[in-house]
Amino acid sequence: MTPAAPRRLGVLMAVYLLGIFMGAIDTGIVTPARTIIQNDLGVDEQTGIWMLTIYTLAYAASIPVMGKLADRYGRKPIYLLSITLFGVGSLLCGLSQDVGSFGMLIAARAVQAIGGGGIVPIATAEFGTSVPPEKRGMALGLVGGVYGVANIFGSSAGSLILDVFGTSNWQFIFYVNVPISAVIIVAGLVFLPNHKVEKVARIDLLGTTLLVSMILLLLYGLRNIDFFDVAGSLTSTDVYPYLLGFVLLLPLFLLAERRAADPVLNLGYFTDFAIGVTLLLAFLAGVILMGVVFVPQFAENALRIPSGEGGYFVIILGLASGIGAPLSGRLTDRFGPKPVLGLGVVISAIAAAAGVWWAIPSPSWTSVCTTLALMGLGLGFTIGSPLNYMMLDRTAESESNSALATLSLVRSIGTTLAPAFLVGFLAHAGTDLQAAITADLPTQVSTPALPYAAELQATFAELKKDDRLKDELKGVEFPDLASKTTIDISADGGGSLPADLVELLKTADVTTITARTKVVAERMFAEQTPSVIADITDGVDTGLTSLHSAEKEVASAHHKLVKAVKGVDAGITGMRKAAKGMRSGIAGMTRGIAGMTSGVRGMSSGLVKINHDLADLTAALAGVRAAYHAIMDALPPGTPEPPPAQDLHAKIDSLKAAVKGARKGRAALVAKRAALVRSRASLTAKRAALSRQLATVERKLAAAIKDRRTLVATRDELASARSDLADTAHKLTVLRDAVPGAFETAKDDYLAEIDKRAPIIEQTFATTLNGGFRGIYLSTLVASLLAALLLALYPKRSVVPAPASSPADTAS
């Protein structure tokens, strides 16, 4: 194929380089948004990586097909078809956010990849055959420079678009490809020549079908292997059926290719030692390249910047790659591909070592930027022109499309498997985040003082000793308000955190980990504290129930005592009234007795007088009688009474009558006095009986008064106890109602403590994730060293080959 004219070559290079630019810019744009997209669409890290993996699967599967189609129908229509598919896929990727479907995004990325599978190999073949030999080094330098600038613009544009439109509008990072695709299609239709192989055998449909199926089966099966548990994952239905399918199809594919007039894959490539080494180097280059995928997240974690901002750091890598790629092209023209590729893998190894033993343990702008610059420089040499030179150097020009397609396919296998393997380091580091972060959290938080807590605790102790309420409070269990001075916060509540919280921690970045840790802490409070609150409130409610029951019993007893006091008061009033009546009766009896005694005395005095009078009458009677007898004796017997004697006789009769009357009066008076004495004695006895009754009443009255004092004292004590119980119940109710608020305050204090520990938490987060990045870049170091070892086995050519071009062929 003759080289194109210089003027037309410039247009041809522009159209093809713009396609390479679009593919490269898409890689840069998606990289800083990967975690944002997967979080927005609600998928985890290992599912989210499929937005890269599906691209590389479909990309790898389409490469040989597009190469053969370009051989048969020409590079121009297949290239423009590839651009169209890439543009349509980009449009659908953007629309997937509006639909909110991760499945749609994956399908659209597959459409993008099918288009991408034709862009770079076809452009590479066109440069390898259309550019004059003396200008191919310059062309390759230009390709590398465009690729580096595209990466710079892509990563910067990705971060810029996220900044301008917000992380909630990540769809615009895909829409940028649509106008670029339209420009390429229009320019391609006008300016691109249609170069194709003149003699093309019948297309190998069977081989193509088997190869695509084998690629998909192999890559999907390998993609699902957990490289941290290979033996275990090989038994998974997501792994062994697909690997088994690949093994079963392999002999059929080999048979079909041997019989095909124009096999889709030249099996001779795998029997040529030099080509085999080249393909292995391409595989390792793909592994090394995939370390770039994690650069934004690595920079964000190391320098503690928000998600999405790490894309700006790919500028450093792109600048260095933009320097290394054209430089590698010129050096390859002069020294051949082997030493140039050797320099690239050595620089890549140094970059990986710098990341592992400098940037990760001592993160700073200097260490991170230097590591990224070395990484970009190494990639510029590794994935630039040397491998394509080596492949084209060992194959015929007529096989340039299929040869470079095979190289791209093998490299794509590396770029497919590498993320699946490398992301495992981050996934395992993310799994360790729960234990690491929660170990930094406070395990206890002080409980704010509840109202009346100390006072109630003392009251409970007094109530237990109160004899007045011994019966009423028997068996009552008062809540222990003194023991709840702290709340134990378990990091896992007795088990693992819920999956959504684990994922929340795993998808955090160093700038959001404290806020997300607080979300976890709030959930821990929400899940763990209700049982504590319930225990406290249940205990308080039990105490309140007991207090209310005791209060009712005390109120009942108090009511009975009030009635008893009223009854005693009525009895005392009655006894006092009775005693008063008795005293009045005794006083009357005493007065009666005194009157009777006075009457007896008067009668006795009357008897004395009567006796005196009777004695005087008796003496007078005796004197009269003596005078009478003296007169009569002086007279002769039978002498009639003389007048003096008659007078005396009459006087004697009168005196006799007087004596008799006096005696009769004395007897009557004696009888009356005796009756009065008897009456006085009876009244005295009655008074004595009444006095005894009065004494009994007074004793009962005194006892009743004493009992009343006891009842009143007991009544007042019960009233006081009832008041104390009611007051205690009120305070306990206030305390119970304050418990939720106290725990809310405790939660706020706990979250404030987390804020204080933010530097520690961020450091733990960064250190834990750094373990994942350490594994990633140790892996790229091993890949670089293996590439250096393989390169040492690559046989030398006696003549430096004519250069063949290569864009930085990479999976997006």
Side-chain angles (χ1 to χ4, degrees), residues 448-460 479-482 731-732 735:
L450 294 170
Y452 305 117
E455 180 183 343
L456 285 170
Q457 200 65 39
T459 300
F460 294 156
D480 186 0
L481 303 177
K731 292 176 179 177
L732 201 54
L735 181 145

Side-chain angles (χ1 to χ4, degrees), residues 357-552:
W357 288 294
W358 184 26
I360 289 176
S362 303
S364 66
W365 285 82
T366 300
S367 62
V368 171
C369 292
T370 302
T371 298
L372 295 182
L374 288 171
M375 190 181 298
L377 187 62
L379 287 175
F381 279 84
T382 303
I383 63 173
S385 62
L387 284 172
N388 289 292
Y389 266 87
M390 293 164 69
M391 192 66 183
L392 292 175
D393 183 40
R394 300 287 177 169
T395 57
E397 181 178 334
S398 61
E399 297 179 3
S400 59
N401 284 336
S402 60
L404 292 177
T406 302
L407 185 73
S408 295
L409 173 61
V410 173
R411 184 158 44 203
S412 295
I413 293 174
T415 58
T416 300
L417 295 184
F421 171 66
L422 297 178
V423 78
F425 290 103
L426 286 183
H428 279 261
T431 302
D432 295 337
L433 274 177
Q434 175 186 345
I437 295 299
T438 52
D440 288 333
L441 299 182
T443 57
Q444 283 188 335
V445 60
S446 297
T447 306
L450 294 170
Y452 305 117
E455 180 183 343
L456 285 170
Q457 200 65 39
T459 300
F460 294 156
E462 293 175 1
L463 288 175
K464 290 178 180 179
K465 299 176 182 178
D466 196 334
D467 291 336
R468 301 170 303 173
L469 306 173
K470 179 171 58 178
D471 295 332
E472 288 81 359
L473 298 179
K474 186 177 181 180
V476 173
E477 291 293 335
F478 290 109
D480 186 0
L481 303 177
S483 63
K484 298 297 182 183
T485 57
T486 60
I487 303 171
D488 292 328
I489 303 299
S490 172
D492 55 15
S496 61
L497 287 175
D500 62 323
L501 293 185
V502 173
E503 190 62 26
L504 189 69
L505 292 179
K506 288 171 65 177
T507 57
D509 61 49
V510 72
T511 64
T512 61
I513 185 59
T514 300
R516 294 194 178 189
T517 300
K518 290 169 69 176
V519 172
V520 173
E522 286 192 271
R523 178 81 70 85
M524 288 159 55
F525 256 84
E527 292 179 354
Q528 296 181 29
T529 56
S531 60
V532 180
I533 294 174
D535 289 342
I536 295 175
T537 54
D538 287 348
V540 172
D541 286 338
T542 300
L544 281 172
T545 300
S546 300
L547 286 175
H548 289 316
S549 176
E551 185 183 354
K552 288 181 180 179

Side-chain angles (χ1 to χ4, degrees), residues 567-577 701 704-706 708:
V568 170
D569 284 342
I572 289 173
T573 300
M575 284 188 284
R576 283 177 173 167
K577 187 175 180 181
L701 178 61
I705 292 172
K706 183 179 180 181
R708 182 183 183 280

Side-chain angles (χ1 to χ4, degrees), residues 203-446:
I203 192 167
D204 182 14
L205 291 177
L206 178 60
T208 300
T209 303
L210 290 173
L211 179 60
V212 170
S213 300
M214 288 169 56
I215 291 171
L216 293 176
L217 289 170
L218 176 64
L219 295 187
Y220 184 80
L222 293 177
R223 161 66 181 79
N224 289 325
I225 290 178
D226 183 354
F227 291 92
F228 292 85
D229 182 20
V230 175
S233 61
L234 284 176
T235 62
S236 170
T237 54
D238 287 331
V239 176
Y240 79 83
Y242 301 94
L243 297 183
L244 181 61
F246 169 80
V247 172
L248 293 176
L249 290 181
L250 181 59
L252 298 177
F253 173 72
L254 294 176
L255 180 61
E257 293 304 279
R258 287 194 179 98
R259 294 181 176 180
D262 184 18
V264 68
L265 184 64
N266 189 338
L267 299 180
Y269 295 159
F270 299 96
T271 59
D272 184 288
F273 180 76
I275 294 178
V277 170
T278 303
L279 294 177
L280 287 175
L281 287 171
F283 174 83
L284 292 173
V287 174
I288 296 170
L289 175 63
M290 282 298 96
V292 176
V293 172
F294 303 95
V295 164
Q297 193 175 359
F298 167 67
E300 290 162 0
N301 187 66
L303 300 179
R304 303 189 182 186
I305 56 179
S307 290
E309 299 293 328
Y312 292 119
F313 285 84
V314 183
I315 295 175
I316 300 170
L317 189 146
L319 283 172
S321 178
I323 294 171
L327 181 59
S328 72
R330 293 186 180 277
L331 291 177
T332 301
D333 279 342
R334 183 172 181 181
F335 300 105
K338 183 175 179 178
V340 176
L341 183 59
L343 179 61
V345 295
V346 168
I347 295 174
S348 295
I350 293 172
V356 172
W357 288 294
W358 184 26
I360 289 176
S362 303
S364 66
W365 285 82
T366 300
S367 62
V368 171
C369 292
T370 302
T371 298
L372 295 182
L374 288 171
M375 190 181 298
L377 187 62
L379 287 175
F381 279 84
T382 303
I383 63 173
S385 62
L387 284 172
N388 289 292
Y389 266 87
M390 293 164 69
M391 192 66 183
L392 292 175
D393 183 40
R394 300 287 177 169
T395 57
E397 181 178 334
S398 61
E399 297 179 3
S400 59
N401 284 336
S402 60
L404 292 177
T406 302
L407 185 73
S408 295
L409 173 61
V410 173
R411 184 158 44 203
S412 295
I413 293 174
T415 58
T416 300
L417 295 184
F421 171 66
L422 297 178
V423 78
F425 290 103
L426 286 183
H428 279 261
T431 302
D432 295 337
L433 274 177
Q434 175 186 345
I437 295 299
T438 52
D440 288 333
L441 299 182
T443 57
Q444 283 188 335
V445 60
S446 297

Side-chain angles (χ1 to χ4, degrees), residues 28 90 111 114 159 209 245 311 411 437 441 452 541 550 622 635 672 697:
S90 298
V111 173
I114 293 171
S159 295
T209 303
R411 184 158 44 203
I437 295 299
L441 299 182
Y452 305 117
D541 286 338
L635 291 177
K672 285 182 180 180
V697 169

Side-chain angles (χ1 to χ4, degrees), residues 33-156:
R34 179 174 60 87
T35 55
I36 294 171
I37 294 172
Q38 68 191 31
N39 292 342
D40 184 53
L41 295 180
V43 296
D44 59 21
E45 180 85 14
Q46 290 187 320
T47 303
I49 199 67
W50 267 96
M51 71 182 76
L52 300 178
T53 302
I54 193 64
Y55 187 94
T56 52
L57 284 172
Y59 181 90
S62 71
I63 287 172
V65 177
M66 289 297 185
K68 281 299 178 181
L69 289 176
D71 286 343
R72 186 174 186 85
Y73 299 106
R75 292 171 185 161
K76 176 178 178 177
I78 302 306
Y79 179 73
L80 295 181
L81 173 63
S82 299
I83 294 295
T84 301
L85 290 173
F86 194 90
V88 171
S90 298
L91 178 63
L92 294 175
C93 284
L95 293 175
S96 67
Q97 182 179 14
D98 296 325
V99 177
S101 170
F102 186 73
M104 179 178 174
L105 175 64
I106 293 301
R109 286 288 284 166
V111 173
Q112 261 191 319
I114 293 171
I119 293 173
V120 175
I122 293 173
T124 302
E126 189 69 28
F127 277 111
T129 57
S130 298
V131 178
E134 69 275 8
K135 293 183 178 180
R136 285 174 186 168
M138 178 273 295
L140 289 173
L142 184 59
V143 168
V146 168
Y147 186 80
V149 170
N151 266 293
I152 294 170
F153 182 75
S155 58
S156 302

